[in-house]
């Protein structure tokens, strides 16, 4: 019963008989025609052939290298000129700052007030005693005796003895008026100022 059934027709029977035709390779466009570098190939098997720029990249690299070399030379010259200017510019040295905390401070010294120098002692006035009787000429002038005579009244006593020792009058020969000279009474041991004897002779 299965023999009576018809076999289905083979729809690919004709294709097996026809040999596939090779796809011709894509030729690059002539150099004179503009090439669209951004063209999208229609088939996955097609390759994008970009034209090589001959000499373009090499020139660009040379230009960049030359520019960099010029910039480096200019920068080096500027740096050297600044160094020379700084070395020739005189700089004022700053005074060193002393660290007060580390320097020991000297102990305060007491203030010594100098004592005033003593005034020089006045030179002693040399009194002149012309007659050498023990009274200066100034004293004799004050008393009234003669500075040139040691015994002005001539009673036997020097003017100084009469004034300072016996307390008699150097201008009167007999102070007590008993008719005896003052000098004679003293030699005899009597008091030239009145009655009586000299109990103690003055030194």
């Amino acid at each position: 019963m299965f023999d009576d059934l018809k076999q289905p027709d083979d729809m690919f029977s004709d294709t097996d008989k026809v040999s596939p035709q090779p796809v011709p390779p894509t030729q690059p466009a002539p150099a004179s025609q503009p090439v669209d570098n951004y063209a999208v190939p229609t088939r996955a098997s097609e390759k994008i052939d970009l034209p090589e720029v001959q000499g373009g990249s090499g020139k660009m690299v040379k230009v960049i290298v030359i520019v960099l070399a010029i910039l480096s030379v200019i920068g080096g010259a500027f740096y050297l000129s600044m160094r020379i200017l700084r070395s020739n510019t005189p700089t004022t040295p700053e005074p060193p700052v002393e660290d007060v905390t580390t320097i020991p401070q000297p102990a305060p010294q007491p203030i010594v007030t100098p004592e005033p120098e003593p005034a020089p002692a006045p030179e002693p006035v040399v009194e002149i005693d012309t007659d050498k009787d023990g009274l200066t000429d100034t004293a004799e002038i004050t008393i009234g005796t003669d500075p040139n005579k040691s015994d002005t009244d001539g009673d036997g006593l020097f003017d100084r003895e009469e004034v300072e020792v016996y307390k008699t009058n150097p201008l009167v020969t007999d102070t007590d008026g008993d008719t005896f000279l003052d000098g004679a009474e003293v030699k005899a041991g009597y008091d030239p100022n009145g009655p009586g004897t000299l109990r103690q002779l003055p030194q």
Side-chain angles (χ1 to χ4, degrees), residues 26 36-50:
T26 304
D36 188 4
N37 293 330
Y38 299 97
V40 180
T42 57
R43 298 181 182 178
S45 62
E46 291 182 356
K47 296 181 180 180
I48 299 174
D49 295 331
L50 299 176

Side-chain angles (χ1 to χ4, degrees), residues 31-184:
S32 61
Q33 296 179 0
V35 179
D36 188 4
N37 293 330
Y38 299 97
V40 180
T42 57
R43 298 181 182 178
S45 62
E46 291 182 356
K47 296 181 180 180
I48 299 174
D49 295 331
L50 299 176
E52 296 181 359
V53 180
Q54 296 180 358
S57 61
K59 289 181 180 180
M60 184 61 67
V61 171
K62 289 181 180 179
V63 170
I64 293 173
V65 170
I66 291 172
V67 171
L68 291 177
I70 293 172
L71 291 177
S72 63
V73 170
I74 293 174
F78 179 75
Y79 176 75
L80 290 176
S81 64
M82 292 301 293
R83 289 290 299 273
I84 292 172
L85 288 175
R86 288 181 181 177
S87 63
N88 292 335
T89 303
T91 58
T92 304
E94 296 182 357
V97 179
E98 296 182 357
D99 190 1
V100 182
T101 58
T102 58
I103 299 176
Q105 299 296 328
Q109 299 294 330
I111 300 174
V112 178
T113 304
E115 296 181 358
E117 296 182 359
E123 296 182 359
V125 179
V126 179
E127 296 289 345
I128 300 174
D129 184 10
T130 305
D131 55 8
K132 307 299 180 180
D133 60 355
L135 290 177
T136 62
D137 294 353
T138 304
E140 292 204 51
I141 292 172
T142 303
I143 296 170
T145 56
D146 189 355
N148 295 316
K149 285 184 177 183
S150 60
D151 184 7
T152 302
D153 57 3
D155 58 359
L157 295 176
F158 293 134
D159 294 340
R160 175 181 174 276
E161 291 178 325
E162 292 200 61
V163 173
E164 295 182 2
V165 179
Y166 300 108
K167 308 300 181 183
T168 56
N169 190 348
L171 300 177
V172 178
T173 58
D174 184 9
T175 302
D176 56 3
D178 59 358
T179 68
F180 293 99
L181 298 178
D182 293 339

